[in-house]
Amino acid sequence: MEFLRPQTWGDALAAKADDVDVVPIQGGTDVMVEMNFDLHRPGALLDLNPITELTEWEQLPDGTLRVGAGVPYVRIIAELGDTLPGIAQASRTVGSPQIRNRGTVGGNLGGASPAGDLHAPLLAAGATVEVESAEGGVRMIPATEFYLGVKRNSCRPDELIRAFHVAPAAGPQYFSKIGTRNAMVIAVCSFSIALFPQEGRVGTGLGSAAPTPRRAYDAENYLAAELEWDGALDPRVSEEFGRLVSAAASPIDDVRGTADYRKHALSVMARRTLGWAWRDLTAARKVA
Amino acid sequence: MRVNCTINGKDMEADDVWEGESLLYLLRDRMGLPGSKNACEQGECGSCTVYLDGIPACACLVAAGQVEGREIRTVEGLADGDKLDPMQEAFVECGAVQCGFCTPGLVVQAHDLIERVPDPSDAEIRESLAGNLCRCTGYEKILDAVRLAATRKAEAK
Ligand SMILES: Cc1cc2nc3c(=O)[nH]c(=O)nc-3n(C[C@H](O)[C@H](O)[C@H](O)COP(=O)(O)OP(=O)(O)OC[C@H]3O[C@@H](n4cnc5c(N)ncnc54)[C@H](O)[C@@H]3O)c2cc1C
Ligand code: FES
Ligand code: FES
């Protein structure tokens, strides 16, 4: 085994292009569990920590936020809580403080576990993943096309994840997760909502509810059409939204929960997060 | 491979480090610093918590090679010679130590909490210690210890 410590992004891409059996490591909170339990012995570990640009975020001239793959959760919570509330809320539920100090969104995307907590809010907010390879250059992959299967994403073997891009929240965003206790749990299932009141649009994301994280398109379209953006929230609309979210899931029975329970929980989380988002919208209207 | 880093203020060097080795192994088995405990090796128990460049991390989840040129502070590095850190003292006084296995990780994590939040609420203490498991104390005495250390630290100012 080798341990590679590239000092620049270019060197990291070159190392990845060199050999497919090179495993990038950032926080190490997924990779090291596998190493410690002898689940995987790669040819080399590629430490991305020395590449400081991965731990930076910036606002691009068009207003979009570009967040480096190596920004740890603790900084997303502290520095982007106001502009990316759904993503920050999900970050807040990851593991424990020690895990949030080291774990990164890039690592969550790299692992592409259906239970990864960041996928639902990235989908709901309409994020795009920036990946790059030495030969192919930069590719921008919409989150909706990023997840291919259980722990499989659309990165090619020579590509590394560089950042995710997402517009600052244009309206309320919420993330909700069901677990067996408050801290340190893999989600039984999770749900994220983003409202875009100016465009009359709704975003959703489902986690731990299908082989890949996914959006609930029918639910989004239904809600966007039925919401009276300047009026009150009709409980029947919210009920139907919950039903459509649950219909978009194809969960499995496993030790953490049954498929039926997951479907039920998703409809409850969909209604609740919509209620919270609507409360924020109404409050914002009163202030305006 | 060779790894150079600073541990508890001293420059250290380790040779023949296996590339997949964890920082926890490096500390315990190469540096002779058994303070950080090895219990789960999967980030669940927090008993291996150390400062890495001033930020608490599970040493079992950091690859040894990742600490090249960086600074580590373990529970051994909190005391000033024979003088215990106020957090260590508070743990002893409050009976927050029984078998002691979880203690080093809890002390480091709680030490960080009151550095950042001098007067933490109970909810803040519980949240910050959510990644540290204790099988013995029932946590109440640990909460007492953190409150006591926070009060003493405030008084000392
Ligand atoms: C105790 C514990 C609790 C946890 N709780 C949660 C939780 O509640 N929710 C949750 O979602 N996750 C949880 N996790 C999983 C993990 O913390 C997250 O998935 C985290 O986001 C991983 O980030 P990392 O930087 O540590 O990734 P790493 O372990 O460094 O990498 C993870 C994967 O991504 C790949 N990778 C990393 N960076 C790149 C890159 N730039 N380009 C391409 N591939 C890359 C790696 O090769 C690896 O396959 C938990 C883990 C532990 C140990
Ligand atoms: S041994 Fe590292 S968290 Fe348990
Ligand atoms: S004192 Fe025994 S595990 Fe905490």
Side-chain angles (χ1 to χ4, degrees), chain B residues 96-102 133-139 142:
Chain B
V97 182
Q98 285 188 28
C99 82
F101 206 82
C102 67
L133 293 181
C134 173
R135 299 291 296 264
C136 308
T137 64
Y139 299 101
I142 293 172

Side-chain angles (χ1 to χ4, degrees), chain A residues 24 26-31 48 73 95 104 107-108 110 116-117 161 177, chain B residues 42-43:
Chain A
Q26 257 167 182
T29 60
D30 279 324
V31 171
L48 298 178
Y73 294 118
T104 64
N108 216 242
D117 282 320
I161 302 166
K177 158 176 172 180
Chain B
Q42 51 184 325

Side-chain angles (χ1 to χ4, degrees), chain A residues 98, chain B residues 35-37 45-50 56 75 91 100-111 129 131-132:
Chain A
Q98 290 94 322
Chain B
S36 325
K37 295 287 173 273
C45 75
S47 59
C48 64
T49 305
V50 299
V75 71
F91 265 68
F101 206 82
C102 67
T103 312
L106 272 162
V107 166
V108 173
Q109 184 63 18
H111 182 273
L129 302 184
N132 293 76

Side-chain angles (χ1 to χ4, degrees), chain A residues 1-3 5 25-28 32-33 35-37 41 45 47 49 96-99 101-102 181 183-184, chain B residues 1-2 18-20 22 40-41 43-44 49 52 55-56 58 60-61 65-66 70 109 127-128 130-132:
Chain A
M1 205 169 151
E2 277 185 275
F3 196 91
R5 299 184 189 124
I25 178 166
Q26 257 167 182
M32 286 307 288
V33 173
M35 298 291 301
N36 291 341
F37 286 84
R41 283 280 175 275
L45 287 179
D47 183 17
N49 285 184
S96 62
Q98 290 94 322
I99 302 293
N101 285 344
R102 296 273 307 156
R181 49 183 277 238
M184 297 290 268
Chain B
M1 68 178 158
R2 173 175 293 183
W18 176 59
E19 287 70 20
S22 70
C40 71
E41 289 195 274
E44 300 273 353
T49 305
L52 173 55
I55 296 169
C58 295
C60 69
L61 299 183
Q66 291 188 292
R70 300 175 72 173
Q109 184 63 18
E127 193 177 5
S128 100
N132 293 76

